[in-house]
Amino acid sequence: MSSMSRPDGRAADELRAISITPGYLDHAEGSALIVQGSTRVLCAASIEDRIPGWLRGQQSGWVTAEYAMLPRATHTRTARARAQGRDVGRSQEIQRLIGRSLRAVTDLGALGERSITVDCDVIQADGGTRTAAITGAYVALYQALRWAQRAATEAGEEDPFPEFPLREAVAAVSVGIVTGASENRMLLDLCYEEDSEAGADFNIVATESGRLVEVQGTAEGSTYTRNQLDAVLDLAMQGIAELISAQKTAIAALA
Amino acid sequence: MSSMSRPDGRAADELRAISITPGYLDHAEGSALIVQGSTRVLCAASIEDRIPGWLRGQQSGWVTAEYAMLPRATHTRTARARAQGRDVGRSQEIQRLIGRSLRAVTDLGALGERSITVDCDVIQADGGTRTAAITGAYVALYQALRWAQRAATEAGEEDPFPEFPLREAVAAVSVGIVTGASENRMLLDLCYEEDSEAGADFNIVATESGRLVEVQGTAEGSTYTRNQLDAVLDLAMQGIAELISAQKTAIAALA
Amino acid sequence: MSSMSRPDGRAADELRAISITPGYLDHAEGSALIVQGSTRVLCAASIEDRIPGWLRGQQSGWVTAEYAMLPRATHTRTARARAQGRDVGRSQEIQRLIGRSLRAVTDLGALGERSITVDCDVIQADGGTRTAAITGAYVALYQALRWAQRAATEAGEEDPFPEFPLREAVAAVSVGIVTGASENRMLLDLCYEEDSEAGADFNIVATESGRLVEVQGTAEGSTYTRNQLDAVLDLAMQGIAELISAQKTAIAALA
Amino acid sequence: MSSMSRPDGRAADELRAISITPGYLDHAEGSALIVQGSTRVLCAASIEDRIPGWLRGQQSGWVTAEYAMLPRATHTRTARARAQGRDVGRSQEIQRLIGRSLRAVTDLGALGERSITVDCDVIQADGGTRTAAITGAYVALYQALRWAQRAATEAGEEDPFPEFPLREAVAAVSVGIVTGASENRMLLDLCYEEDSEAGADFNIVATESGRLVEVQGTAEGSTYTRNQLDAVLDLAMQGIAELISAQKTAIAALA
Amino acid sequence: MSSMSRPDGRAADELRAISITPGYLDHAEGSALIVQGSTRVLCAASIEDRIPGWLRGQQSGWVTAEYAMLPRATHTRTARARAQGRDVGRSQEIQRLIGRSLRAVTDLGALGERSITVDCDVIQADGGTRTAAITGAYVALYQALRWAQRAATEAGEEDPFPEFPLREAVAAVSVGIVTGASENRMLLDLCYEEDSEAGADFNIVATESGRLVEVQGTAEGSTYTRNQLDAVLDLAMQGIAELISAQKTAIAALA
Amino acid sequence: MSSMSRPDGRAADELRAISITPGYLDHAEGSALIVQGSTRVLCAASIEDRIPGWLRGQQSGWVTAEYAMLPRATHTRTARARAQGRDVGRSQEIQRLIGRSLRAVTDLGALGERSITVDCDVIQADGGTRTAAITGAYVALYQALRWAQRAATEAGEEDPFPEFPLREAVAAVSVGIVTGASENRMLLDLCYEEDSEAGADFNIVATESGRLVEVQGTAEGSTYTRNQLDAVLDLAMQGIAELISAQKTAIAALA
């Protein structure tokens, strides 16, 4: 990769083209297909009227996520067996991240004794699947909660939520530091080719009001400075603002 | 369900609306998204230049399939864990059926020492996922073989196949016998609601030239006569002819 | 194999020698050792006074089956580990077939809230193990139900079944189409050597009254016509009649 | 159980009726069905011309065993799943015991680079299945080695063994100490009912020449003295002599 | 190994240096680190106020054990995966032995409806890990029961045990018969190097009053006489007396 | 917890008492027991002269880690089964973090074709086990590399490393933001009680020269600002400097 340009011609601080299709599935209470460049993730939110045992009696609900990849989401086929072996740790790490990100903006008390599971299945992978999953999962979760309200209204029951349980939007983006011959470059929203060349990559999750939910800055065979971390965060916050705007457009289309 | 009409208003011998999108995925050598009513299956064909150990030295290739369902393909969520437990037998039975169906029309010798795996992942399930998978998998397989030819041409190599390895098209459809108050009805291409009410259901796989590849006629708590089996086959062959026509349209769009 | 004769000298429409020993086991409520040529399957029926959760409150019982092979049932040893890996799909497919076949002739309502599991363990395999398992399992099931009646009588309780829950006998047989130099031959009750040479093989399950329960016609790398399917069914129905006669002799020996 | 008599009327130092059918299976190189009272174990010996990796280059063969129970070998059905869970330790412990017992009388060097696996599958269990398995496995192993010699002769090859690899016979029996109201009784060859009442039970493996291969004396919630251990061994050695005599009769029937 | 001396210079009837540190862990109700030569086993006893389902209503408690090895307890690293595969049988066999040994000296009725699990994790292995685990587990179990009494006193409740549930101490040791050029030698408390050279090895579990709980005498490719067994038991009983003395010192340090 | 004081009386910016015992194990090439407050982690480094397949031919070595907890490391016992189920994702996430941290300071080229696995087993857990594991693993890794050099010297071979493969030290620490009534407090090196009350917790890995290797800032049901992140990093860098000083003392004791 030339140090001058990105594989798809984007500027260093430019997101990939993004599209969010809410209500992509017929059966799920909430769903969204998020396409970010060549990355496509299908998010499906399922509501159940029961909670995990350890929450019982606490007047609180729960939001969790699952993450997986279809075998041919990747450039070469990934055997399904790997998902139950070597890659299970990666998947669990990612799904815990998605779950935490959603819970950070959810008023679990307002949910009542309900559990919501958001399945994030990667249809096609080209970098940034976990961050796209978070951004899409928020839309699926939003739709599922609206569905519950509408279903109650149609059944002549009262609104299941004293207050709408989502406090604000949450979205995520990646940033990478690519070490070049003459300079290090910070790139927003890495595609696969960039991700595999980055000496350090960062996944940042933040809310509409600009607060941080998660910062994961990972160097592989490399290190980075505190000044670089600051620059990374600047870039990420700008990308997240754009992603939240795309979420709002998708949600508006639902009504 | 009234004995008079089908849930979606179709005639007894009418297929659901069908759409096949070839080349749905960027990375796979061949792919197709098949939508049949509310059922949606994503088929992805992967070519590898190696063969299973037991085929070595036989100048022959191999075609196989894998089948799985996304958790929220179903009306209520199916835990991923089930796919590794109770449902593993169902999945393996289906993927062996898909593999046999594809091999019935493939000249394995003409393939050379190549393996093709067709992943069939159910995005949304409303009955007939295994038959839709066969119909879609044929298109993905076709595209993958064409891809191998084009890739060879572009690399200045000779055509990898002495003869195009697919002898004719293959497709599949379900038929059910629903026991009503006054009469038994034969229904083509069952949706989920019909499938769960049928006393006997049949999956038929056949080729363009009208030869049978597989007949599976399964009664649950019931039985059927040889005359009924004949009527079922008549209905199936008519449906399969229509499905093969849809495959041809999709393949034509590839060129 | 010469196109003129079968390995064991049988006529094309001749069953292998069959023997059914009912009550083979001391502990099981019902059992039968079925020997069909060199194939030997031990069937054991176990009654439990409980039903699966999804049947609760429906005033109905359940009949299910399990199928497995001993490691040295085959010509070369099959590692036990395979039974939990690659072969698990084959076993589950077979045991679901056995279960459906038994339920097709059972009045589940008359069973009351009881579950019967029929274990079919292959002691020696020489083709046709799944069809022999069905034929033997019916005898084991019959004995188990008679045992329950006798046990109630001896305990001074009333007959557990308002009506004997088996409506009629069920049995199964295989047929193969072997493609020869000059002609295709239809062979009844394939042994292992014939089975591995057949281009298409069929497992047919039918009842005493000649109704079909299951038709599975599977071609591998081949296809067949509807006329051939008809001829296969003729041959199968004749074989099944003979097998049901052997079941009746075995059951008569129980009394 | 009265302190005076055994459930089946045997004397305290009396074995159960024993029968050994050599060559019970068609495919296995060696096999034996051993029936000891109501306990029935099918032993099948398989020869392979390869050895475990860690033996390579040592001019030595290997003998090992596997042990399992059919689901309805027991009074109430044992789910197959248990065999892969809680009971796996018990099975592995038993199969290691069987393997050691056979190797104690085998000249592994004389075997050459061959592996023999003896599968011991319990058809019906009424106590003493592991000891019956050892006694039967010896006969199956003996037949397999004779088979290898005959196969070589028939192929015009030389005898595969410089010396017949079995040095002497090996057999096994159980003894129990049952704690009664007025006295403790030593019982030879426990059936299931006795086994579950014994405060301590012993499995003794010994050779034809009276040497010990294994002594396992296990108390559960109880203890025993060295004098009791001596009396147990006296009883066991007498039983083993009788079992070895039954092995010799079975082997003589093979020739 | 010379037939004259042991690798660490011990006499044939000499135990390795032993040290037992009770209360090694902060969180466990009872614990002990036992060091015997280079072998180190950490034993942790956990009390729970519930019992296995099959004990319910019997006014009785339960004591069980688990046994495992850290990956680098051994000379070369043992992959963790092996512990779930090939070695699971060995671990289960050992943990059942530890459990039986503890139950032999425990009055389960006096325990009340409590379960105690003693985890025995091998930090470093140099032979005799199972016998060291039994010896250490007794100390951990003792401390846990004292802890329960003290906790009750501090809470102003009555003593949980009508009678202290441990009747007497239990400990274990290994003995081996090493076959030398000119003579066979009996060695007490084998280290790893000796264990791998012994033709027969014995694990003996006995109580303070000299009663036997378990005798396991295992020959590998070898046999032994009854006279040798007697000599082995003499040696073992002497070693166990010394080990029980070390247990008493450790327990005294707890008070 | 009062907002004024920490459970163990430390100042907000004070590490727990730390002790590192290098060479804790006899068999491992490198090892260290690290005790940080009540947290104890045993780190063992194993060197093998082979590399993963994907590194072959690249003149490079590899460093990886495994992480696990003993069942009674925790306040209440954690079943071993959980480590293979629900917790496997957590363990894999942690061991990948440890591996990346070590590789960040290792010159993999200088290692040559060698793999080093560092097993980090938690003997007792009181918060901060992953950060303690990193700090201890560095010492074990250092000792293993020195061992390889000494072993070569003793064998009269040349130094295996052209250059000592560790470029500088690496260590890790946690920081938490605890939300109090009147103020939010930043606490260095959280114990378990503090960790479970923190609204956001951070694991920071850095090198001796003050460069960052990993920043993980995780909010659960909460969020944090960029200013807070800065303050967290200040505190962490101070703690890491102290930990690296403790590593140096431990390494000096090795020589």
Side-chain angles (χ1 to χ4, degrees), chain A residues 92-93 96 211 223 234, chain F residues 89 93 96 211 223 226:
Chain A
Q92 289 192 13
E93 179 178 340
R96 286 212 306 267
R211 294 181 66 88
T223 54
D234 287 341
Chain F
E93 180 178 341
R96 286 211 308 267
R211 293 181 67 90
T223 54
R226 286 186 63 178

Side-chain angles (χ1 to χ4, degrees), chain D residues 62 85-90 92-93 96 100 103-104 167 207 210-226 228-231 233-234 237, chain E residues 62 85-90 92-93 96 100 103-104 167 207 210-226 228-231 233-234 237:
Chain D
W62 191 241
R86 187 163 106 191
D87 288 351
V88 72
R90 178 184 177 271
Q92 289 192 13
E93 180 178 341
R96 286 213 307 267
R100 280 196 307 268
R103 288 192 299 273
R167 285 189 285 248
T207 70
R211 294 181 66 90
L212 293 161
V213 174
E214 186 103 10
V215 172
Q216 293 184 339
T218 295
E220 177 60 64
S222 163
T223 54
Y224 53 94
T225 64
R226 287 186 63 179
Q228 285 176 313
L229 175 60
D230 274 333
L233 287 167
D234 288 341
M237 296 313 276
Chain E
W62 191 241
R86 187 163 107 191
D87 289 352
V88 72
R90 178 182 177 272
Q92 289 192 13
E93 180 178 340
R96 287 213 305 268
R100 281 196 306 268
R103 290 192 297 273
R167 286 188 284 247
T207 69
R211 294 182 66 91
L212 293 161
V213 174
E214 187 104 10
V215 173
Q216 294 184 339
T218 296
E220 178 60 64
S222 162
T223 55
Y224 54 93
T225 64
R226 288 186 61 179
Q228 286 176 312
L229 175 60
D230 274 334
L233 288 167
D234 288 342
M237 297 312 276

